Every structure is written in structure tokens, then in C-alpha cells.
Amino acid sequence: MTTDLPKHAIQLLLSDAERDAVLPRAVATASATELHAAFFRACKWDMAAEIFHRLTAHLDNIAIARRDAEHQDHAPSGSALHPASRHIQDVSSDAARTLAHALKGEVAEATVAVEEAGRVRSQIARGHHEAQDPDPSLLEVLITFQHQRGAARTRVNALHSQNRQILHELALDEELRERAADTHAAVELEAIDLHLQDDFFDLIADLSEGVPHPVPGYDGQDQPVTASLSDGRPVVFFPKHLPVVGHADYRPPPLPALGLPEVHHLSDLARRHFPRAAIVVVTNGRFSAPAQRYAQTHGIQFIGREGLERWATWCSPLHAVLGSCETHADAETVQ
């Protein structure tokens, strides 16, 4: 009878309804060895239950976060009075889509972890009914799940931090855009698309506080613009106005792009006539993928449609526009 009491007590300890009635009697009749074994088994079960609970809570949290990211992907940016620009809307949606996709993988992994940990927890529970202690490695497996959960939380926190940083930068962009609109200093992309080529040169000269500099062989138009960066270094801008069908948010057809042949030609002109200047190609369109790769390896910076919007429409300073282009964060590439 005495030998059976601790095992019987452990079974009932798993149910709070019988705990108060059984525990005093079981403790009074059990030996020290049996009490130690019972205590160890109860602790093992408590640890298993707690780890399983934490895994389940983690799964619930990231599943909710994934649904929020999917909702953010489809939610319009800006307000009814000030709808977000195409760039802000696209970047916001891309960030939400990236977060949702990453969380989808985390949800799948966490789901499997909960299922596997549940099976291990059941094995530990069954061990309470057996004469022999369950394999101690089962508890080690659950502890491994706990470590994996900690690593998963670190990854998820990093994903959320990255998403918050992107949204913070977009909020700053939106503030610049609205401030520029209030001061009437902004030049909208729709107006830039309608500029004649000569007007586009003048616009870049005004924005850069530079001057046209005649160069034979520049597309029949001898007006690249020379200026200085904020640190005093010389820079030469090659404005390339492209015909855009419709208005700034018109899609399809896709926006026209400058390709590698055009960029290679401008690079040769710059090396020949402006050997010490930084080279910046500016367009109201985009750049092809081969042109982007060429620029990365030949020290050429691009200001494409998104960068031009920051510069001309939102009145962002040139160093901020060039900084974003240097890291190619704008993804101004035609696929």
C-alpha cells in the first residue's frame, strides 16, 4: 500500500481537484526515498508543462503578428487628405510583405515545435504511471525546445525592429513631402514627366545649385551639370529625361529605363572630361539591372525616379538622396 501511494499521488497531483485531499495522506505514509522520487517526478512534469506553455504562447504571438503584417500589406498609406506617394505605398507594402513572409516560416517552425514538444510532454506524463523513471533525455529534449524558442524570439524581434525602422524612415519621408507641399517648393513628378529635355537640365541645375557644362558628344545636348557636394568635392550630373506615358502613378506600362549602353557612354564622357568629379546619372525613369551592376563596380551613382521624388518633390538634401542611392536601397531597377 505504502509503495503505491506516491505513484497514485503523482497521478492525482496532475489534477488540482484531488490535490488537497490526497497530498497530506500521501506525504504522511511515504518513505523519504519515495518522497524524493515523487518530488522529482512532479518537478519534471511542471517543467515540461511550463516549456510547452511557452512554446504555445510563442506560436500564438507570431501567428497574430503575421496576420497584422498581412493586413498592413493591404492597408493604404497616408490619409484621405494626403494619400501617400507611390514610393511610400510600395515600400510600406514591401516591408509588410517581407515581414509576413518571414513570419510565415517562423509560424511553420513553431507549429512543428509545439507538436513535437507535446509528444515529449506526453511521454513524460506517461512516465509517472510506470515503475521506472522515464528517460531523463526527454527532459533534455524539452529544454532544447526552450533554447530554440529563445533563438526564435530573437529572430522575430529582429524582424519587427527592421520593420519599425523602415516605417520610421517612411514617416520622415512623408513629413518632408507634406512640408515641401506646404511651402510650394515641390516639383511634382507629373510635372517633371512633362518637362522638355532642356527644362530637365535646368531643373537639375537648380536642385544641385550647379551650372550647365558643355561637353561634345552628350546625346546632342551639351548640358551636363557641374556642382559641388556638401564636402566640397566636385560632381557632374548627367540628366536623362525619359518619356513617361500617363502620370507618376500610371501602371502599366512599366516606366522606361536607362540601360547599360547609355550608362557606359556617360561613364566614358565623365572619365574623359571630368576625371576628378563624382558621377551621378539622374533620370525620371529607372535603370536596368545590367546598368545597376555596372554602376556598382565603376563608381557611378544613380538618382532614379524615387530619388528624384525625394530631391525635387520632398526637398530632401542632396547628400541624403545620394546616400540612399549609394546603398541601392531604392531598388530602382527594371526587372
Side-chain angles (χ1 to χ4, degrees):
M1 181 67 177
T2 302
T3 304
D4 293 334
L5 278 176
K7 289 185 291 184
H8 180 60
I10 290 301
Q11 297 175 37
L12 294 178
L13 283 176
L14 302 182
S15 171
D16 291 335
E18 301 291 339
R19 181 175 299 188
D20 293 339
V22 173
L23 187 58
R25 179 160 49 89
V27 171
T29 57
S31 66
T33 301
E34 290 168 336
L35 286 175
H36 290 161
F39 177 76
F40 178 72
R41 291 172 185 173
C43 288
K44 188 181 295 185
W45 167 258
D46 286 343
M47 290 181 65
E50 176 64 17
I51 292 174
F52 181 80
H53 170 73
R54 291 181 180 180
L55 288 170
T56 304
H58 170 68
L59 173 59
D60 291 341
N61 289 337
I62 59 178
I64 292 173
R66 178 195 171 190
R67 289 195 294 270
D68 290 344
E70 291 173 340
H71 176 72
Q72 178 186 331
D73 179 17
H74 300 292
S77 300
S79 65
L81 296 178
H82 297 282
S85 69
R86 168 65 65 178
H87 168 66
I88 290 178
Q89 181 67 45
D90 286 350
V91 174
S92 177
S93 295
D94 288 344
R97 198 174 304 117
T98 299
L99 177 61
H101 179 74
L103 288 176
K104 180 180 180 180
E106 293 291 342
V107 167
E109 181 176 329
T111 300
V112 174
V114 168
E115 294 173 352
E116 294 179 353
R119 293 198 296 268
V120 175
R121 184 187 64 159
S122 298
Q123 288 179 270
I124 291 177
R126 288 196 299 271
H128 291 308
H129 308 296
E130 299 171 356
Q132 301 295 325
D133 285 341
D135 187 347
S137 65
L138 293 178
L139 188 56
E140 294 174 1
V141 171
L142 277 178
I143 293 175
T144 301
F145 277 120
Q146 173 75 349
H147 293 326
Q148 292 182 349
R149 183 190 70 95
R153 288 184 61 184
T154 299
R155 293 195 302 270
V156 170
N157 288 339
L159 290 171
H160 283 301
S161 296
Q162 181 181 14
N163 183 259
R164 284 193 296 270
Q165 180 64 27
I166 292 173
L167 295 181
H168 173 69
E169 292 174 357
L170 286 180
L172 296 179
D173 285 343
E174 183 67 17
E175 182 180 356
L176 279 174
R177 186 174 75 105
E178 293 184 5
R179 187 186 307 162
D182 292 340
T183 60
H184 305 289
V187 182
E188 297 293 333
L189 283 176
E190 293 90 339
I192 294 175
D193 290 337
L194 296 175
H195 271 46
L196 297 176
Q197 181 127 341
D198 290 341
D199 294 329
F200 193 58
F201 286 108
D202 292 338
L203 173 65
I204 301 306
D206 290 341
L207 291 172
S208 64
E209 299 181 354
V211 294
H213 193 114
V215 172
Y218 178 43
D219 196 29
Q221 301 288 337
D222 301 336
Q223 298 184 69
V225 175
T226 56
S228 297
L229 298 176
S230 57
D231 59 4
R233 287 183 299 152
V235 59
V236 56
F237 295 92
F238 286 99
K240 298 293 291 185
H241 188 273
L242 298 177
V244 175
V245 179
H247 53 81
D249 292 336
Y250 183 84
R251 293 180 184 180
L255 291 167
L258 281 181
L260 177 56
E262 294 89 350
V263 173
H264 189 280
H265 174 64
L266 297 179
S267 176
D268 286 345
L269 287 177
R271 305 301 181 197
R272 189 180 312 124
H273 299 282
F274 308 97
R276 297 181 180 179
I279 306 168
V280 181
V281 182
V282 188
T283 183
N284 60 318
R286 295 178 183 266
F287 299 94
S288 71
Q292 280 267 25
R293 297 190 187 282
Y294 178 83
Q296 292 174 2
T297 57
H298 289 76
I300 303 173
Q301 297 185 71
F302 286 157
I303 297 179
R305 193 170 188 82
E306 284 76 14
L308 182 61
E309 183 178 44
R310 287 194 180 96
W311 199 17
T313 307
W314 305 346
C315 300
S316 295
L318 175 60
H319 68 84
V321 175
L322 288 177
S324 65
C325 293
E326 286 174 351
T327 57
H328 300 275
D330 296 335
E332 297 175 331
T333 303
V334 172
Q335 302 297 330

